[in-house]
Amino acid sequence: MKFFVETIGCQMNVNDSDKITDYLLSEGLEYADDVLQADLVILNTCSVRFSAEHKAYSFLGRLSEQKDKNPRLIAGVVGCMAQYAGKSIKNRFKFLDFVLGAKELDKFAGVVSKFIETGGVRKATRKSGVFEYVTIMRGCENFCSYCIVPYVRGPEQSVSVDEILAETEKCVKRGAKEIILLGQNVNSYNYKNIDFTGLLKEVSLINGLERIRFMTNHPKDFPDELIDEIAANDKICKYIHLPMQSASDYVLNRMNRKYTYGKYKLLVEKIRNKIPRINITSDIIIGFPGETDDDFKETLRAAEDLKFGGLFIFKYSPRPNTSAYKLKDDVSTAVKKERHSVLLERSNEISKELNGYYINSEEKVLVDAYANGICESRNSQNIKIFFNSAKDLTGKTVTVKITKVFANSMSGDMREN
Ligand code: SAH
Ligand code: SF4
Ligand code: F3S
């Protein structure tokens, strides 16, 4: 029996899909290279923006046709959209065999076992990637006014230190060199009085683990000890994703982000003073209800002033249940598009300018993929670096001299050691 997992959404979902894949492989099923070859298809969904839900509906439309041709096909939907709109998905797509919300993933084995023929003997495992995700916190209770995550993933819960260490060790044994610790706000990690800084110290003691990354850090509560630990600990990547969302205090307040632009800027400056080579990236929401031209200009100016290594810019999308849902979505699609493209263009120029400082620099990079004679790697700052190589160096750390820079990547020549 062959299976296929389609994943929409954030790293949390990627991590959940990895677990689903591990389970099905351990039951003797085989991974299908193509959805059309699969006997079991699982769609892992996201609700963060309407566009994510739209993607799921299109996928299910195509799957329905596949089911018409192959009535023996087993199909299930999991994840965030299944959590909050499970009933309507079941009603609309009657062919589905199961729908299981993100909070019920522990029931996956029980539910799916009814449908699968287990292979019996062969207990395969997923080949570990160079980097692997480890979830350290589930849920979120920050209730940013635009965000559906607290409603679909439930309240914040920290995973035990022991479980995190065991999971990380398992990944390292299977060949991972880098671990990415995941949580909606890792700064509020707390398990029996071990905070996130304490957790980082423990995880970094694991033998064979070369790099640690994490996301996401909420700017409202970034402790000084954490900044110091990132600065001092060689295993921790010099990269922080620090979503700003907006630089207008009026908008930030309406978003319930619990900081002002002034506070955010001070935090960025403090981090940069203590960790000289840090790369800071951010998320921005464009067109939040009530965002005026002046509010947007403040965000644009902040992007120019703070010079992020990269920006993820999203157009505001009203989400059911959230408190902002009651506000009028009053920034027109055309204005959202215009602001989005202005900011994106500026942000790309800035990223390219920042990458320019790397010309001729010798970067220590970890290779995570190889194709057509080109290695794809990242430095500690999480910048993508390409270089030519006759050999597949996946998993190896090498030195690359940077010769060319682009907005979102760089390229160079490997130094023979
Ligand atoms: N926990 C993380 C973010 C998770 S969602 C944090 O607080 O930073 C990832 C990003 O999606 C958010 O940072 C935000 O920029 C964007 N986002 C969330 N809800 C959105 C919505 N309703 N419309 C548009 N963008 C949204
Ligand atoms: Fe959503 Fe805010 Fe929680 Fe991030 S911190 S997941 S944006 S509610
Ligand atoms: Fe992630 Fe989307 Fe769920 S962003 S937590 S998969 S709603």
Side-chain angles (χ1 to χ4, degrees), residues 331-391:
V331 180
S332 72
T333 310
V335 171
K336 279 181 191 164
K337 263 194 191 150
E338 167 69 15
R339 288 178 189 168
H340 186 277
S341 78
V342 168
L343 184 57
L344 184 62
E345 199 177 311
R346 197 65 197 100
S347 158
N348 282 340
E349 285 166 11
I350 292 165
S351 310
K352 194 173 171 189
E353 176 195 323
L354 291 183
N355 286 348
Y357 294 117
Y358 284 96
I359 289 273
N360 289 328
S361 140
E362 292 189 353
E363 294 296 297
K364 240 175 102 179
V365 302
L366 174 60
V367 181
D368 44 43
Y370 180 72
N372 309 321
I374 296 171
C375 284
E376 184 181 321
S377 68
R378 282 164 304 119
N379 63 357
S380 169
Q381 284 70 17
N382 206 30
I383 302 172
K384 244 189 205 144
I385 296 171
F386 297 95
F387 63 93
N388 291 324
S389 166
K391 267 193 285 181

Side-chain angles (χ1 to χ4, degrees), residues 91-223:
N91 284 336
R92 189 160 155 195
F93 300 96
K94 294 251 167 19
F95 71 89
L96 290 171
D97 297 286
F98 59 92
V99 175
L100 202 63
K103 282 193 278 186
E104 313 167 312
L105 214 63
D106 50 331
K107 300 197 191 101
F108 181 80
V111 169
V112 84
S113 62
K114 287 193 285 246
F115 301 106
I116 59 176
E117 313 140 21
T118 54
V121 211
R122 212 175 54 89
K123 295 263 180 204
T125 48
R126 188 171 51 89
K127 208 176 142 236
S128 180
V130 173
F131 58 90
E132 287 282 322
Y133 297 111
V134 172
T135 298
I136 66 161
M137 298 176 76
R138 301 178 209 288
C140 181
E141 50 197 41
N142 287 313
F143 293 97
C144 302
S145 66
Y146 50 81
C147 184
I148 199 169
V149 172
Y151 303 90
V152 291
R153 291 266 174 175
E156 201 172 88
Q157 257 182 304
S158 295
V159 178
S160 79
V161 176
D162 286 349
E163 246 176 278
I164 294 166
L165 293 176
E167 181 70 20
T168 307
E169 272 166 5
K170 194 178 95 189
C171 293
V172 171
K173 265 202 199 106
R174 277 164 51 167
K177 308 283 182 211
E178 174 176 316
I179 287 297
I180 305 166
L181 305 173
L182 293 179
Q184 295 298 348
N185 175 20
V186 294
N187 294 344
S188 58
Y189 179 85
N190 194 307
Y191 189 83
K192 295 196 173 149
N193 285 327
I194 303 216
D195 65 3
F196 185 56
T197 310
L199 178 71
L200 280 178
K201 287 185 182 162
E202 298 251 354
V203 172
S204 66
L205 294 177
I206 292 176
N207 270 333
L209 176 63
E210 295 178 12
R211 281 181 174 185
I212 305 166
R213 271 197 290 148
F214 42 82
M215 64 187 314
T216 303
N217 300 80
H218 196 304
K220 76 178 162 68
D221 55 2
F222 206 119

Side-chain angles (χ1 to χ4, degrees), residues 4 30 32 42 50 53 151 169 189 193 221 261 287 299 311 321 328 335 340 350 397 411:
F4 186 88
E30 266 179 71
I42 289 148
F50 175 76
E53 298 197 340
Y151 303 90
E169 272 166 5
Y189 179 85
N193 285 327
D221 55 2
Y261 173 61
T299 303
L311 274 188
N321 300 326
K328 195 164 170 258
V335 171
H340 186 277
I350 292 165
T397 297
S411 64

